[in-house]
Amino acid sequence: MDDKKWWQKGVVYQIYPRSFADSEGNGTGDLRGVISRLDYLEWLGIDAIWFSPIYPSPMADFGYDVSNYTDVHPMFGTLEDFDELVEEAHRRGLRVILDFVPNHTSDEHPWFVESRSSKSNPKRDWYIWADPASDEGLPNNWESNFGGPSWTWDETTGQYYLNSFDPKQADLNWRNPEVREAMYGVMRFWYERGVDGFRIDVLNIVIKDEELRDNPPDPNWKSGDTPWDWQSRVYSEDRPEVHEISAEMRELADSYGERVLIGEVYLPIERLMAYYGEALDGVHLPFNFQLILLEDWNAGKVRRIVDEYEAALPEGGWPNWVLGNHDNSRVASRISPERARLAQMLLLTLRGTPTVYYGDEIGMHDVEISEHLIVDPRGKDQPEFSRDPARTPMQWDDSPNAGFTTGDPWLPIAGDHAKINVAVQSEEPGSMLAFFRSLIRLRKKSPALSVGSYTAIEAGNDAIFAYMREHEGQQIVVALNFSEQTTRVDLTTAKGGGKILCSTHLDRTGALEPGQLELRPYEGLMVLTDSEKA
Ligand code: GLC
């Protein structure tokens, strides 16, 4: 087990800094707020914190529009606060992962201000500028992720610039070596300040077709998908040259010792795997969003994606699983509150590094936000795609602002926060939080779970997804009942009996008689089989 790195054995926890803890009473979270909650994170048992962007930014996309990569937004604090945060986190054994946003800068970044000032400016080529098409139209048909064309007209120089997201997020030109050097300089700056790695924003989009060719329509598009999905984005993303860039980032990371690179890559499994790099010289963990993208949570479908993903992994590629993040509906809302525990058991018992979204450990759900209050740029013109509901403040206690702020929270707080909060749940033995902590504890102390192999088990029943995790003779069987019926299951491997380590309902432990197991509706069980040699 000891040959595994911290990012293989550990659990990553994502903090959306605006929403975690506000130390100043201005309604928006900050770094000192996080520092004040580090004891909680240590108690929870996670190993690394990934922070969504904390850099200076006009906040057009809440920090994913960076105007200075080597400082901290005053709203979040100062570089000194950041240094203290790293020190305090490290003192507790927690790693710090920053969000790196290479695809675009804010249009207010000095680089872009220079670039747009004239066609002959030395930074002109740092961004992607194009003339109108011959018929005076847009340079090509690429769509922006936030709706509308991905080109914005610039009056001063009479050209369009590319923005794959908001017009206030101008795409950098990664074909320009100066851009690469400047951005690698940013990574160095933070490595030297002690960060343990980066989550790389939209890695697969960073470099585009040199000729800016039109994307063909996507024949699989279905209504309900975002306009971004109308096209098969073969020319605007996932270009072969991207792997050269990840390899360069990897080389740099490796030169600083045990750092981790996690790539945000929304691609089908077969294309995702290339991001490990041909010689495993790409990112350590291309984010695996299969559990986020899965629409229909039944045992068969979950098993299928797990098996497909496992089978597709390159030799030596370490798996990872993500259940929620700031861009998607929360798991408790996506698949129902009753099944949220089952989903967490799955996340924390599958093979590979799990990423947990803040608040999911207490079962936070999406908060409905009226249309006129939407602040997410993706939701302003397309309310159905707003990401605000999953970004609401962390619920610490039952006080009016949930212990998040003494001011006016930047997004509304869930109406039922008096029940769903850390303080209440840390007192309740059967709470979601208690359950989550047991899962983490078990994962930590059982090599079978943290580093062991994965094998699906034929449960002989469609409602159940079961698998075995095994390491040096330690065998743990996980059986998850995705149906609302009590279901009996015959787990051959557990036939010899065993010991129940944990139930989603937190009311069953102890010896398990050989034979059939009964799982209640939406119950998951973890069983240590008698075959354990240890
Ligand atoms: C990523 C981020 C998302 C952001 C986008 C543009 O997908 O997760 O929040 O809007 O990139 O930076």
Side-chain angles (χ1 to χ4, degrees):
M1 164 151 174
D2 283 331
D3 63 327
K4 292 287 185 288
K5 309 265 194 269
W6 64 267
W7 51 267
Q8 295 177 298
K9 290 182 285 191
V11 175
V12 178
Y13 183 91
Q14 181 189 357
I15 287 186
Y16 195 65
R18 298 177 65 89
S19 298
F20 199 62
D22 171 20
S23 71
E24 293 176 341
N26 61 7
T28 308
D30 48 54
L31 298 185
R32 303 217 69 83
V34 176
I35 295 175
S36 73
R37 297 293 182 177
L38 286 175
D39 286 344
Y40 165 74
L41 295 174
E42 186 184 8
W43 171 83
L44 191 60
I46 55 109
D47 299 276
I49 313 168
W50 147 37
F51 290 90
S52 282
I54 55 166
Y55 318 106
S57 156
M59 293 285 162
D61 188 17
F62 298 110
Y64 284 94
D65 48 320
V66 181
S67 53
N68 178 356
Y69 286 97
T70 52
D71 204 347
V72 171
H73 195 299
M75 173 193 286
F76 295 131
T78 61
L79 271 176
E80 289 67 42
D81 293 331
F82 180 76
D83 291 342
E84 189 178 326
L85 169 65
V86 172
E87 197 185 317
E88 287 296 318
H90 284 171
R91 203 161 61 74
R92 291 168 175 81
L94 302 171
R95 311 279 178 153
V96 174
I97 299 171
L98 285 185
D99 217 308
F100 182 61
V101 189
N103 182 65
H104 43 263
T105 71
S106 161
D107 65 339
E108 295 180 34
H109 193 295
W111 298 342
F112 188 71
V113 173
E114 274 196 50
S115 182
R116 82 186 318 177
S117 66
S118 86
K119 277 189 175 167
S120 58
N121 186 280
K123 293 222 165 44
R124 183 63 171 185
D125 185 51
W126 280 40
Y127 292 83
I128 302 176
W129 292 96
D131 288 328
S134 47
D135 57 358
E136 296 299 303
L138 297 162
N140 69 18
N141 72 353
W142 297 355
E143 290 280 343
S144 130
N145 180 286
F146 292 167
S150 63
W151 294 98
T152 300
W153 177 248
D154 189 61
E155 203 53 63
T156 321
T157 51
Q159 278 193 315
Y160 288 92
Y161 66 87
L162 184 72
N163 57 272
S164 300
F165 294 85
D166 194 81
K168 284 192 66 65
Q169 293 164 296
D171 284 35
L172 281 162
N173 176 15
W174 275 79
R175 294 185 183 277
N176 183 325
E178 290 176 19
V179 167
R180 293 193 189 192
E181 229 0 86
M183 293 303 271
Y184 299 151
V186 168
M187 292 181 129
R188 283 191 199 99
F189 174 88
W190 293 107
Y191 285 137
E192 277 154 27
R193 281 202 118 83
V195 314
D196 299 287
F198 291 99
R199 172 265 190 192
I200 306 167
D201 194 59
V202 292
L203 174 61
N204 54 314
I205 296 178
V206 161
I207 196 156
K208 290 96 185 163
D209 178 43
E210 196 159 18
E211 295 166 45
L212 305 176
R213 279 171 284 187
D214 275 354
N215 281 327
D218 185 345
N220 299 321
W221 184 83
K222 37 185 193 344
S223 72
D225 286 352
T226 62
W228 165 263
D229 291 318
W230 290 342
Q231 294 174 349
S232 169
R233 297 182 299 276
V234 289
Y235 293 117
S236 55
E237 64 175 66
D238 196 25
R239 304 298 303 165
E241 299 93 319
V242 71
H243 301 299
E244 181 189 305
I245 295 171
S246 6
E248 288 171 4
M249 290 182 183
R250 174 64 179 270
E251 207 184 320
L252 183 62
D254 287 350
S255 74
Y256 283 93
E258 266 200 23
R259 316 288 166 124
V260 70
L261 294 178
I262 308 177
E264 187 205 20
V265 178
Y266 281 90
L267 283 178
I269 289 179
E270 66 287 358
R271 280 160 68 199
L272 178 68
M273 296 305 163
Y275 287 77
Y276 282 99
E278 234 168 71
L280 292 187
D281 54 353
V283 294
H284 301 87
L285 302 172
F287 258 148
N288 163 18
F289 296 122
Q290 295 305 313
L291 296 178
I292 286 190
L293 301 172
L294 183 66
E295 281 167 14
D296 196 3
W297 276 67
N298 62 48
K301 293 229 162 112
V302 175
R303 173 177 174 173
R304 191 156 75 223
I305 56 168
V306 175
D307 286 349
E308 275 175 18
Y309 177 76
E310 279 279 347
L313 280 166
E315 178 85 36
W318 187 252
N320 76 91
W321 296 94
V322 187
L323 206 48
N325 61 29
H326 64 296
D327 292 326
N328 292 282
S329 179
R330 280 189 182 270
V331 65
S333 299
R334 231 167 51 233
I335 71 165
S336 83
E338 297 77 34
R339 288 184 294 174
R341 289 189 183 210
L342 215 49
Q344 293 298 345
M345 184 175 274
L346 176 72
L347 175 74
L348 289 158
T349 57
L350 281 176
R351 190 174 81 92
T353 309
T355 298
V356 177
Y357 186 46
Y358 82 94
D360 280 355
E361 74 272 28
I362 52 171
M364 276 175 64
H365 52 74
D366 290 352
V367 175
E368 210 180 305
I369 294 172
S370 350
E371 251 180 73
H372 69 284
L373 295 177
I374 291 178
V375 292
D376 175 19
R378 197 174 79 176
K380 281 196 173 147
D381 294 331
Q382 327 169 84
E384 68 279 30
F385 302 125
S386 171
R387 298 167 295 181
D388 293 341
R391 297 176 172 180
T392 61
M394 178 68 178
Q395 295 155 208
W396 296 103
D397 60 36
D398 61 3
S399 65
N401 284 330
F404 163 70
T405 181
T406 51
D408 220 0
W410 78 286
L411 279 178
I413 289 171
D416 54 3
H417 81 268
K419 276 188 291 192
I420 303 180
N421 69 61
V422 171
V424 165
Q425 292 193 14
S426 51
E427 298 296 319
E428 270 172 30
S431 68
M432 176 75 183
L433 183 58
F435 167 63
F436 186 89
R437 281 189 75 221
S438 318
L439 287 177
I440 289 216
R441 275 203 307 272
L442 284 167
R443 187 179 174 92
K444 280 226 158 107
K445 71 171 200 212
S446 323
L449 293 175
S450 54
V451 299
S453 61
Y454 157 90
T455 319
I457 296 175
E458 292 311 328
N461 190 313
D462 288 352
I464 309 268
F465 173 36
Y467 45 94
M468 158 105 74
R469 301 293 315 282
E470 184 166 16
H471 184 76
E472 293 178 356
Q474 182 184 59
Q475 290 186 338
I476 294 179
V477 171
V478 181
L480 307 168
N481 179 8
F482 281 87
S483 78
E484 52 186 6
Q485 255 85 54
T486 298
T487 306
R488 296 187 74 79
V489 58
D490 193 355
L491 298 171
T492 324
T493 34
K495 258 204 179 134
K499 186 174 135 209
I500 299 179
L501 296 175
C502 180
S503 153
T504 39
H505 299 34
L506 278 195
D507 57 358
R508 266 169 112 174
T509 47
L512 180 76
E513 293 309 314
Q516 290 216 325
L517 261 178
E518 196 172 82
L519 293 180
R520 289 165 286 173
Y522 307 133
E523 184 179 24
L525 272 191
M526 289 159 67
V527 175
L528 178 70
T529 75
D530 282 342
S531 68
E532 186 181 1
K533 287 187 208 127

